[in-house]
Amino acid sequence: QQQNRLRRLLVYKWPYPLERIVESCLEHMELLAAVEQGEMEWAATLMRRHLEVASRVHSARTDQ
């Protein structure tokens, strides 16, 4: 089942440019590192920033 999920993920047509996907993953990793270190206020700031950027990117894409 896991192999099939990975296979589907690889062929999925992402609706965003690769650069944005990589940037989003890096944002997630930074957020997780903050949580791991117990820096919850910083993690909350990172989450807000991530959601703001993601919202702008999504809005710009759906406005086209």
Side-chain angles (χ1 to χ4, degrees):
Q1 285 181 340
Q2 182 67 16
Q3 288 296 323
N4 286 334
R5 282 189 213 117
L6 286 171
R7 205 172 289 116
R8 280 193 299 265
L9 179 64
L10 291 173
V11 297
Y12 180 76
K13 181 158 174 54
W14 295 95
Y16 301 100
L18 180 60
E19 296 81 20
R20 178 59 202 142
I21 295 167
V22 170
E23 186 178 329
S24 182
C25 288
L26 292 173
E27 291 168 2
H28 289 184
M29 296 301 291
E30 186 178 13
L31 174 68
L32 289 170
V35 169
E36 227 173 27
Q37 295 168 10
E39 299 175 4
M40 298 308 179
E41 285 190 39
W42 178 237
T45 298
L46 292 171
M47 178 58 89
R48 275 191 297 279
R49 186 176 70 186
H50 171 72
L51 292 174
E52 288 167 1
V53 170
S55 178
R56 280 196 305 268
V57 168
H58 180 72
S59 291
R61 183 153 181 83
T62 56
D63 289 343
Q64 293 177 359

